[in-house]
């Protein structure tokens, strides 16, 4: 028989003495409309959750489990699970195993103990993450996996809640979840303080305050402490009781009857009135923060003892006896039966296969393709040459017509038509539900997109300026990009993020409107980044980005160079050489497809975005001087086809990478490395990058960036015979160390 | 029989058993005589026989002994079902609870009723009454029939594409030219279709012949399909919820739902048994999956009569990768070494689980 752990002594002692703690309120079962069998079922769920926690510690001691953060003390959320439909998407706190276990009861055929123990053991058979993390999730139960410890899953819950009304407006049922669903998300009292949580609360309240449907229940599981830092007494209630747009409900999470009562009320409000509810569930944290946390280091013995006396399992056992549902013998049999069951299932689960190779681990970074939903476009393409902003606007209009489930969202994208007019007139044509003017919060914009994408829509989000991405970047890095990975490809959040960015704006700017830092986007597994240099390519990249999102379920960022939005001329005023004809709806620039201008062999300039434009201007001067060159436009800044690039530059005597981003962390580093790796000698490889600086205001705005003059000078130097300058002895490191003026 | 099983004081030496109760079609000519062998002279069988006599029906002892086996007689619902139940009951009673702990019970199709008795959710006589009543009602209405067809290869390896094709036939045939066709049972490596004559004929025409398949199951109605709606209504009138109670041991139903000794609402158990269970597909494969994964048995025991459910169970277990089984050969090799799937209809396997004194 399984040897009880020290943590279980209190339960056995209460069993012997019959001294079960009483809840604050003395609800009767019929008062809260809960049957005796249902109360017993909730207790079973609580016990399963608890025994999983306890057994995880035994397994970890044996080296068979790897993550012991548990749900002990929070098991009252089983009653919350019972109050909702299993088709209501639930974005769960990591202490919500009881929620998942209880929900599994509403879908016959589930094997939650087996599944969770596979997850503990990081087995490749784990049905949700395939052995990639101990997560609470299930496709069948509509619980997308979350690994978040910082409430970064809350913005997408707001997005999901918004998506139901949107699908209703679109007249469709094409989403992952029914249109009368309620989104549920849960989090702790410590992560309540995180700016992401506050942003999500604000976004939900902001929307509801102006009458936007927001069927959302945000469950704050308040155990009063964040690892070692206490939550100020009354802080959560004081913060939320009068929050505009929200209904505030509170319950005693130690008491299943009170929790059930409040959860049903929350469900009713959210579903019927489509308004957000903040459900404040008071509970207790037992056994420390995680298996490795020795809470006696920061909590007094008296406090630990007092917490143990508030164990919700003890409270439920008392309820069962007082309401005549189960006697002490039955409670003990049940307790032991589940303990034995968990232990035996664990012995089977830990023998299941683990992930072994990098290929197996990475198999779900990129999700599977699905049938596209594009409709044939019947319109007529406007062909007069136009600058990038105009062509993007035409392409967006066409995309909105071709993809009925495509929606746009961002600050000022609607009425104003975007800061640079790229989305002009789209809201008037497609309505404010498809062209959404959001609040000014990039986390919420990206979270909205994740929620919409997860529910079958294809969002195109706009971030006004690249610098504004950075405070919200985790929504892409930690959330959007990881969803397929941690769900073994079962959940996806395809989307396109348009970001106006990069430098060279004339007469407007400073750093925050001219930011040239994109490194943060380029090291995220699976995330794709495109950057057009001209209007025709912008259309091709945007249309491909939408196809990638719709058919291949990818997350694609398109960085649109602000300085080129309205640029018409290339060499001289009025030449209109940077205006292009709309290439039409079928024009798509596939991942890795490079652009090339010229075929000279003396010099290859490899560049993107503004660099292409500047290099074209430089090329005119260089050609006058007899330099034979070519310009390679990367177009895609991730998943670069280095083999193709090598083929396109190998025959050139010199290669110059012109990169408008900084020397550190810019694509130039990868490009030089990849060409070296393919055998190109280091003395033929050179970089011209931006300085390690922020962007200043006024006339100095471009002095830290590559310029036409820089490019011309560097090119001249490179094509001068080696014996006439010092290049003949230059090493790669020496060349790399120098940029402009080296 | 199962009162002692959840005392929580289980000796570590006791092996954990999942009991899987057999359904219709398991008492055939070769099983004739089984009941007398395993239960002859028992008080409970005398009690069952008395109930039969009172109802004006041949006793089970007679059917299993004096009356030579005729499929047309013994295969009739009102006889076959109680015979199967009684044989299974005898085996269940014979399990050695000193050495084995039954940790969960499930069943296939009519085996659900036996499982109710095995788990203590119905008293033996009440289960006998329910099984006899349902068998008779099924026989009297004989609404539709069943056709069996495999979707695994000869080595019992799943062919998921074939399964999809077979399931797609239902949608293609149902509703055309008076045809009614449904999935009746998901049975390991086989699908059991239920439908009316037009539906089953159309299906049989489209199924490529393979050994004895498509196999029409003699005297079987379209169990677990909407064709049983009439039977459901009649059964709910005739059989009350009163005898139902929470089981003594967890019960896994034909959807894979677990009914526990602590949280079962007897009214809901009745409602499922004489409701959804009758008119919706019976997912034996999922029931077995839940039994195996959620209760981690050391062995699976299938009471008699016969051993035909053993094959379907093994196929389902191969799909789960249970015990590392990949195909029929690896299953059989393991069984040779140390059988994990015990069919009590096979004497050598039965003898492993029965009390030493049991005969």
């Amino acid at each position: 028989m399984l040897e009880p752990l020290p943590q279980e002594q209190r339960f056995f002692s209460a069993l012997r003495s019959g001294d079960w703690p009483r809840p604050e309120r003395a609800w009767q079962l019929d008062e809260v409309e809960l049957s005796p069998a249902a109360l017993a079922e909730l207790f079973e769920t609580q016990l399963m959750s608890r025994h999983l926690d306890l057994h995880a510690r035994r397994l970890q001691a044996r080296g068979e489990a790897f993550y012991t953060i548990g749900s002990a003390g929070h098991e009252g959320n089983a009653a919350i699970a019972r109050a909702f439909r299993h088709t209501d998407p639930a974005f769960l706190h990591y202490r919500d195993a009881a929620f998942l276990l209880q929900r599994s009861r509403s879908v016959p055929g589930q094997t939650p103990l087996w599944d969770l123990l596979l997850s503990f053991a990081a087995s490749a058979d784990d049905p949700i993450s395939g052995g990639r993390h101990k997560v609470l999730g299930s496709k069948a139960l509509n619980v997308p996996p979350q690994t978040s410890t910082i409430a970064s899953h809350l913005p997408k819950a707001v997005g999901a809640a918004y998506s139901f009304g949107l699908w209703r407006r679109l007249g469709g049922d094409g989403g992952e979840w029914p249109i009368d669903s309620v989104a549920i998300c849960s989090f702790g009292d410590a992560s309540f303080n995180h700016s992401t949580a506050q942003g999500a609360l604000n976004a939900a309240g902001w929307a509801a305050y102006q009458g936007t449907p927001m069927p959302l229940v945000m469950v704050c599981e308040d155990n009063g402490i964040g690892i070692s830092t206490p939550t100020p007494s009354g802080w959560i209630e004081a913060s939320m009781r009068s929050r505009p747009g929200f209904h505030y409900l509170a319950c005693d999470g130690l008491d299943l009857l009170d929790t059930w009562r409040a959860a049903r009320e929350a469900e009713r409000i959210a579903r019927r009135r489509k308004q957000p509810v903040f459900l404040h569930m008071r509970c207790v944290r037992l056994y420390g923060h995680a298996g490795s946390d020795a809470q006696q280091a920061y909590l007094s013995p008296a406090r630990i003892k007092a917490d143990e006396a508030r164990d919700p399992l003890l409270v439920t056992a008392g309820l069962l006896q007082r309401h005549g549902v189960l006697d002490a013998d039955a409670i003990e049999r049940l307790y032991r039966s589940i303990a034995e069951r968990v232990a035996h299932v664990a012995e089977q689960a830990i023998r299941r296969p683990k992930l072994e190779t990098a290929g197996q681990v990475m198999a779900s970074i990129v999700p599977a393709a699905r049938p596209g939903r594009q409709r044939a476009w019947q319109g007529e393409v406007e062909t007069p040459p136009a600058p990038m902003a105009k062509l993007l606007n035409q392409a967006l209009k066409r995309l909105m017509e071709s993809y009925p489930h495509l929606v746009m969202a961002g600050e000022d994208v609607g009425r104003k038509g975007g800061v640079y007019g790229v989305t002009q007139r789209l809201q008037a044509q497609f309505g404010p539900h498809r062209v959404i003017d959001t609040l000014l919060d990039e986390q919420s914009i990206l979270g909205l997109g994740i929620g919409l994408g997860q529910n079958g829509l294809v969002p195109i989000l706009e971030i006004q300026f690249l610098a504004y991405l950075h405070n919200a970047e985790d929504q892409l890095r930690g959330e959007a990009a990881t969803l397929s990975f941690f769900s073994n490809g079962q959940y996806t959040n395809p989307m396109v993020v348009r970001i106006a960015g990069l430098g060279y704006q004339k007469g407007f700017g400073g750093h925050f409107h001219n930011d040239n830092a994109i490194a943060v986007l380029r090291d995220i597994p699976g995330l794709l980044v495109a950057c057009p240099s001209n209007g025709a390519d912008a259309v091709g990249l945007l249309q491909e980005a939408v196809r990638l999102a719709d058919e291949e379920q990818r997350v694609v960022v398109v960085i649109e160079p602000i300085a080129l939005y309205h640029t018409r001329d290339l060499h001289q005023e009025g030449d209109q050489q940077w205006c292009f004809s709309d290439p039409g709806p079928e024009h798509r620039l596939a991942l890795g497809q490079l652009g090339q201008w010229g075929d000279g062999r003396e010099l290859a300039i490899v560049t993107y975005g503004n660099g292409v434009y500047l290099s074209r201007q430089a090329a005119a001067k260089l050609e006058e001087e007899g330099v034979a060159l070519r310009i390679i436009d990367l177009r895609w800044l991730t998943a670069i086809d280095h083999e193709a690039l090598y083929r396109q530059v190998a025959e050139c005597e010199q290669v110059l990478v012109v990169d408008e981003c900084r020397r550190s962390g810019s694509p130039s580093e990868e490009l030089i490395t990849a060409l070296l790796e393919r055998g190109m000698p280091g003395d033929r490889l050179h970089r011209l990058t931006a300085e390690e600086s922020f962007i200043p205001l006024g006339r100095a705005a471009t002095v830290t960036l590559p310029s036409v003059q820089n490019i011309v000078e560097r090119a001249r130097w490179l094509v001068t015979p080696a014996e006439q300058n010092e290049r003949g002895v230059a090493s790669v490191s020496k060349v790399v160390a120098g940029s402009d003026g080296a | 029989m199962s009162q002692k099983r959840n005392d929580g004081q289980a000796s570590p030496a006791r092996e954990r058993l999942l009991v899987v109760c057999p359904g219709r079609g398991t008492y055939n000519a070769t099983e004739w005589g089984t009941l007398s062998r395993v239960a002859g002279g028992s008080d409970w069988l005398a009690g069952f026989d008395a109930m039969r006599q009172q109802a004006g029906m041949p006793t089970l002892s007679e059917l299993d002994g004096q009356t030579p086996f005729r499929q047309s007689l013994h295969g009739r619902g009102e006889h076959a079902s109680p015979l199967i139940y009684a044989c299974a009951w005898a085996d269940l009673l014979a399990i050695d609870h000193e050495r084995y702990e039954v940790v969960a019970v499930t069943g296939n199709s009519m085996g659900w009723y036996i499982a109710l008795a095995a788990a203590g959710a119905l008293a033996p006589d009440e289960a006998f009454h329910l099984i006899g009543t349902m068998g008779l009602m099924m026989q009297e209405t004989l609404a539709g029939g069943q056709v069996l067809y495999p979707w695994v290869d000869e080595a019992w390896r799943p062919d998921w594409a074939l399964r999809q094709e077979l399931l797609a036939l239902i949608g293609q045939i149902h509703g055309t030219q008076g045809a009614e066709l449904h999935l009746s049972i998901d049975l390991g490596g086989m699908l059991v279709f239920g439908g009316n004559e037009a539906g089953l004929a159309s299906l049989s025409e489209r199924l490529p012949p393979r050994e004895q398949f498509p196999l029409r199951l003699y005297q079987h109605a379209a169990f677990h399909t909407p064709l049983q709606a009439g039977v459901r209504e009649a059964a709910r009138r005739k059989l009350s919820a009163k005898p139902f109670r929470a089981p003594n041991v967890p019960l896994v139903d034909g959807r894979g739902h677990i009914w526990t000794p602590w949280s079962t609402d007897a009214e809901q158990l009745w409602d499922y048994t004489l409701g959804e269970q009758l008119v919706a597909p019976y997912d034996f494969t999922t029931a077995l999956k839940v039994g195996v994964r959620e209760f981690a048995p050391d062995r699976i025991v299938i009471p008699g009569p016969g051993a035909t459910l053993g094959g379907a169970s093994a196929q389902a277990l191969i799909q789960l990768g249970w015990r590392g089984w990949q195909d029929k050969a690896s299953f059989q090799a393991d069984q040779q070494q140390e059988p994990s799937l015990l069919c009590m209809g096979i004497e050598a396997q039965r003898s492993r689980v029965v009390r030493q004194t049991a005969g």
Side-chain angles (χ1 to χ4, degrees):
Chain A
M1 199 171 70
L2 202 60
E3 197 59 42
L5 292 172
Q7 291 94 327
E8 298 176 81
Q9 288 314 317
R10 178 134 202 139
F11 190 87
F12 289 114
S13 123
L15 257 179
R16 283 190 298 273
S17 67
D19 183 18
W20 306 106
R22 285 175 181 270
E24 290 166 13
R25 301 281 297 269
W27 292 107
Q28 296 302 306
L29 289 174
D30 51 2
E31 259 183 300
V32 296
E33 298 177 331
L34 190 73
S35 72
L39 180 62
E41 182 186 274
L42 289 170
F43 185 53
E44 288 173 344
T45 298
Q46 291 186 305
L47 285 174
M48 283 195 262
S49 176
R50 180 64 59 89
H51 283 303
L52 283 167
D53 278 349
L54 293 169
H55 206 66
R57 287 163 192 254
R58 293 189 186 97
L59 293 173
Q60 191 184 40
R62 291 166 52 190
E64 299 284 6
F66 310 95
Y67 209 72
T68 54
I69 201 154
S71 305
H74 287 236
E75 294 96 340
N77 58 36
I80 299 177
R82 197 174 197 282
F84 291 84
R85 300 174 185 167
H86 79 268
T87 48
D88 291 332
F91 304 83
L92 297 183
H93 186 33
Y94 54 82
R95 296 200 193 277
D96 283 5
F99 185 109
L100 186 76
L101 288 158
Q102 180 62 35
R103 179 169 274 198
S104 75
R105 293 183 176 250
S106 53
V107 181
Q110 299 299 301
T111 53
L113 290 181
W114 171 255
D115 297 350
L116 282 165
L117 284 160
L118 287 172
S119 177
F120 289 10
S123 167
D125 284 358
D126 160 26
I128 186 62
S129 83
R132 292 176 181 85
H133 208 291
K134 181 207 162 198
V135 287
L136 298 175
S138 162
K139 184 70 175 171
L141 302 177
N142 299 291
V143 179
Q146 314 300 329
T147 58
S148 171
T149 55
I150 52 170
S152 54
H153 59 304
L154 303 192
K156 65 175 131 180
V158 177
Y162 183 82
S163 71
F164 309 133
L166 190 50
W167 271 116
R168 193 187 298 273
R169 284 291 303 271
L170 294 173
D173 226 350
E176 175 93 9
W177 302 301
I179 54 176
D180 61 349
S181 297
V182 171
I184 305 144
C185 59
S186 51
F187 49 97
D189 51 301
S191 52
F192 168 83
N193 299 296
H194 199 280
S195 66
T196 320
Q198 291 296 317
L201 286 162
N202 185 65
W206 183 87
Y209 184 75
Q210 54 190 308
T212 303
M214 188 54 65
L216 173 69
V217 176
M218 303 182 87
V219 182
C220 180
E221 300 181 11
D222 182 359
N223 62 29
I225 194 162
I227 307 188
S228 66
T229 306
T231 293
S233 178
W235 168 244
I236 302 289
E237 181 176 352
S239 298
M240 288 306 303
R241 182 170 276 289
S242 305
R243 188 113 179 189
F246 267 92
H247 297 266
Y248 172 86
L249 297 175
C251 65
D252 176 5
L254 310 182
D255 177 1
L256 284 175
L257 303 187
D258 195 50
T259 306
W260 164 247
R261 170 203 61 78
R264 286 181 85 206
E265 170 94 28
E267 188 267 353
R268 266 195 298 266
I269 294 170
R271 199 179 312 278
R272 291 186 190 167
R273 294 164 69 177
K274 307 208 181 309
Q275 291 168 348
V277 179
F278 186 91
L279 178 56
H280 182 190
M281 184 187 100
R282 295 184 306 281
C283 56
V284 63
R285 188 191 74 188
L286 299 172
Y287 317 154
H289 174 68
S292 56
D293 174 39
Q295 60 178 349
Q296 57 273 24
Y298 53 83
L299 288 182
S300 68
R303 166 69 192 270
I304 293 172
K305 208 171 166 193
D307 281 350
E308 284 170 1
R310 296 174 64 228
D311 185 339
L313 265 56
L314 304 180
V315 178
T316 309
L319 287 176
L320 288 162
Q321 278 193 269
R322 276 195 295 283
H323 292 287
V325 182
L326 296 178
D327 61 21
D329 286 348
I331 289 169
E332 182 171 6
R333 281 200 303 276
L334 170 57
Y335 186 94
R336 291 185 186 277
S337 156
I338 290 179
E340 292 285 336
R341 203 174 135 195
V342 167
H344 282 93
V345 174
E347 290 310 304
Q348 303 292 321
I350 60 176
R351 290 184 212 160
R352 299 304 298 171
K354 308 284 195 284
L355 294 171
E356 288 176 358
T357 66
Q360 289 171 351
V361 170
M362 295 165 67
S364 62
I365 292 175
V366 175
R370 63 184 180 188
R373 293 171 291 176
Q374 185 183 17
R375 291 183 186 168
W377 187 73
Q378 306 294 346
E380 204 163 296
V381 178
E382 290 181 48
T383 52
M388 186 188 286
K390 168 80 171 153
L391 294 186
L392 278 171
N393 179 256
Q394 289 172 201
L396 284 168
K397 177 172 176 287
R398 200 157 54 215
L399 288 163
M400 292 287 280
E401 287 166 345
S402 315
Y403 293 89
H405 55 284
L406 193 153
V407 293
M408 295 174 49
E411 163 79 1
D412 297 325
V413 298
R415 288 180 198 83
K416 180 175 168 67
V419 174
Y420 297 97
V422 174
T423 56
Q424 267 178 5
R425 295 178 299 280
L426 296 177
Q427 191 183 63
Q429 182 173 349
F430 299 102
H433 61 295
R434 287 189 69 196
V435 182
I436 305 161
D437 271 322
T438 66
L439 73 176
L440 203 167
D441 176 21
E442 282 69 25
Q443 283 186 151
S444 295
I445 293 169
L446 294 174
L448 171 66
I450 297 173
L452 298 180
Q454 223 167 315
N455 196 17
L457 296 151
V458 174
I460 298 184
L461 311 169
E462 183 180 297
I463 301 293
Q464 272 186 350
F465 293 100
L466 182 55
Y468 300 167
L469 170 73
H470 300 307
N471 75 6
E473 183 257 345
D474 183 57
Q475 288 296 302
L476 290 178
R477 177 179 296 270
E479 297 296 330
T482 64
L483 183 62
S484 175
F485 182 73
F486 286 120
S487 68
N488 209 10
Q490 297 170 89
Y491 284 104
T492 59
N493 40 209
M495 66 172 82
V496 176
V497 184
R498 294 179 42 248
I499 307 177
L502 304 175
Y504 299 102
Q505 289 184 77
K506 290 190 179 71
F508 179 68
H511 176 75
F512 292 95
H513 299 105
N514 286 274
D515 191 2
N516 60 339
I518 61 170
V520 78
L521 290 167
R522 292 185 62 254
D523 74 334
I524 302 175
L527 190 87
L528 299 172
V529 181
C531 181
S533 65
N534 63 75
D537 279 9
V539 171
L541 289 169
L542 182 65
Q543 289 177 164
E544 176 63 2
V546 171
R547 190 201 67 76
L548 282 164
D550 183 51
E551 295 180 14
E552 301 189 25
Q553 310 200 69
R554 304 297 295 266
V555 178
V556 189
V557 173
V558 182
I559 299 171
E560 298 169 359
I562 300 170
L564 297 175
Y565 270 147
H566 300 293
T567 298
R568 295 176 162 271
D569 307 325
L570 177 59
H571 300 301
Q572 55 202 9
E573 202 172 320
D575 71 9
Q576 299 279 312
Q577 285 195 38
W578 219 242
C579 290
F580 295 83
S581 292
D582 188 333
E586 300 307 321
H587 181 62
R588 297 192 189 94
L589 293 171
L591 209 52
Q593 190 177 335
L594 302 168
Q596 182 171 342
W597 178 89
D599 55 7
R601 294 184 181 188
E602 280 182 273
L603 177 66
I605 296 177
V606 180
T607 185
Y608 59 90
N610 291 294
V612 175
Y613 180 75
L614 300 174
S615 298
R616 285 289 306 277
Q617 291 179 327
K621 294 184 182 176
L622 291 164
E623 285 192 320
E624 276 175 21
E625 297 171 16
V627 178
L629 77 157
R630 66 185 61 179
I631 297 168
I632 309 296
D633 186 346
L634 291 171
R635 291 170 171 158
W636 290 94
L637 303 184
T638 54
I640 296 167
D641 185 345
H642 289 294
E643 293 298 335
L645 179 65
Y646 176 73
R647 284 196 300 275
Q648 281 180 245
V649 303
E651 62 180 350
C652 299
E653 290 167 27
Q654 301 294 334
V655 176
L656 175 63
V657 176
V658 173
D659 195 325
E660 62 189 291
C661 292
R662 296 175 204 140
R663 201 173 306 147
S664 305
S666 63
S668 67
E669 294 178 332
E670 178 183 332
L671 296 167
I672 298 288
T673 307
L675 290 169
L676 275 169
E677 286 170 343
R678 281 159 184 77
M680 183 158 272
D683 61 357
R684 289 166 59 195
L685 295 170
H686 316 276
R687 291 198 294 165
L688 180 59
T689 68
E691 294 290 351
E692 309 281 26
S693 173
F694 303 106
I695 308 287
L697 198 60
R699 288 185 186 154
T702 57
V703 298
T704 62
L705 303 174
S707 66
V708 176
Q709 191 56 33
N710 297 152
I711 298 169
V712 170
E713 285 169 7
R714 178 58 74 87
R716 273 190 199 131
W717 186 71
L718 291 175
V719 298
T720 306
E723 58 274 16
Q724 294 177 29
N725 62 28
E726 293 171 9
R727 180 167 45 80
V729 293
S731 67
V732 170
S733 60
K734 192 172 173 187
V735 172
V736 167
S739 69
D740 175 28
Chain B
M1 55 154 285
S2 48
Q3 301 290 338
K4 292 176 188 168
R5 290 179 198 164
N6 279 297
D7 53 12
Q9 304 294 326
S11 145
R14 285 210 294 177
E15 281 193 11
R16 296 163 65 83
L17 297 186
L18 169 67
V19 167
V20 180
C21 299
R24 286 285 298 275
T26 50
Y27 187 98
N28 298 301
T30 46
E31 282 71 51
W32 183 70
T34 300
L35 185 58
S36 315
R37 198 171 64 247
V38 297
S42 67
D43 291 346
W44 60 265
L45 181 57
F48 284 3
D49 281 346
M51 286 167 72
R52 296 272 298 182
Q53 250 171 348
Q54 212 166 12
M57 298 174 105
T59 67
L60 300 185
S61 298
E62 286 164 4
L63 287 168
D64 189 68
Q66 297 97 309
T67 315
F69 184 85
R70 277 183 292 128
Q71 186 63 43
S72 59
L73 176 71
H74 290 75
R76 292 178 61 85
E78 70 269 32
H79 305 319
S81 295
L83 278 168
I84 292 164
Y85 169 49
C87 289
W89 187 246
D91 280 351
L92 289 163
L93 289 176
I95 291 173
D96 183 354
H97 294 292
E98 295 296 318
R99 292 186 293 140
Y100 297 102
E101 176 192 12
V102 176
V103 291
V105 177
T106 188
N108 175 45
S109 190
M110 188 210 100
W112 170 245
Y113 305 138
I114 303 175
L116 288 171
L122 279 178
D125 288 1
E126 295 291 352
F128 190 72
H129 177 60
L130 175 116
I131 288 168
T133 307
M134 294 308 294
L136 183 60
M137 282 168 57
M138 289 288 186
Q139 189 66 42
E140 283 172 345
T141 52
L142 264 192
Q146 283 178 320
V147 162
L148 190 64
Y149 196 81
W151 59 275
V152 290
D153 66 13
E154 281 70 24
W156 291 1
R157 287 177 303 230
D159 179 346
W160 298 102
L162 174 59
R163 178 186 164 88
Q164 286 310 112
E165 284 172 33
L166 294 172
L167 289 171
L169 287 175
I170 294 171
Q172 291 162 23
I173 293 170
H174 181 74
T176 58
Q177 297 174 329
E180 286 188 59
L181 189 67
H182 307 272
L183 176 64
S184 172
I185 307 176
D186 209 329
L187 187 59
M190 290 168 284
L191 292 175
V192 182
F193 298 89
N196 63 6
E197 289 308 320
L200 295 176
S202 177
L203 174 73
S204 299
E205 275 170 28
R206 296 177 67 167
L207 291 172
R210 176 178 164 184
E211 298 165 1
Q212 72 268 43
F213 305 106
L215 180 67
R216 177 73 185 257
L217 299 175
Y218 185 62
Q219 286 180 324
H220 284 213
F223 304 133
H224 316 293
T225 72
L227 275 73
Q228 300 304 314
V231 170
R232 176 187 60 188
E233 298 318 311
R236 290 170 84 90
R237 282 195 301 273
K238 272 192 179 172
L239 298 162
S240 88
K242 210 171 165 192
F244 283 75
R245 59 195 186 207
N248 301 315
V249 59
L251 252 175
V252 184
D253 73 20
R255 304 165 298 177
H257 176 79
I258 300 170
W259 301 85
T260 82
W262 302 276
S263 65
T264 292
D265 179 328
E267 185 88 20
Q268 286 180 7
L269 184 58
W270 169 86
D271 183 60
Y272 164 74
T273 301
L274 299 180
E276 185 180 346
Q277 186 268 138
L278 291 168
V279 294
Y282 198 97
D283 193 345
F284 173 69
T285 302
T286 293
L288 204 55
K289 178 186 82 175
V290 170
V292 163
R293 291 193 167 164
E294 291 294 280
F295 295 94
D298 298 307
R299 291 178 213 272
I300 297 168
V301 169
I302 303 174
T308 49
L309 192 56
S313 300
Q315 289 163 353
L317 294 166
I318 287 168
Q319 288 159 33
L320 297 173
W322 196 63
R323 295 281 184 267
W325 299 345
Q326 298 299 316
D327 52 22
K328 188 177 181 179
S330 55
F331 158 67
Q332 288 176 330
D334 248 25
Q335 289 287 92
Q336 289 288 330
Q337 290 263 317
E338 178 63 46
S340 303
L341 179 62
L342 299 173
C343 291
M344 293 182 78
I346 298 170
E347 189 49 43
Q349 295 182 6
R350 186 176 194 276
S351 62
R352 285 176 165 265
V353 285
V354 299
R355 284 185 303 276
Q356 300 303 322
T357 52

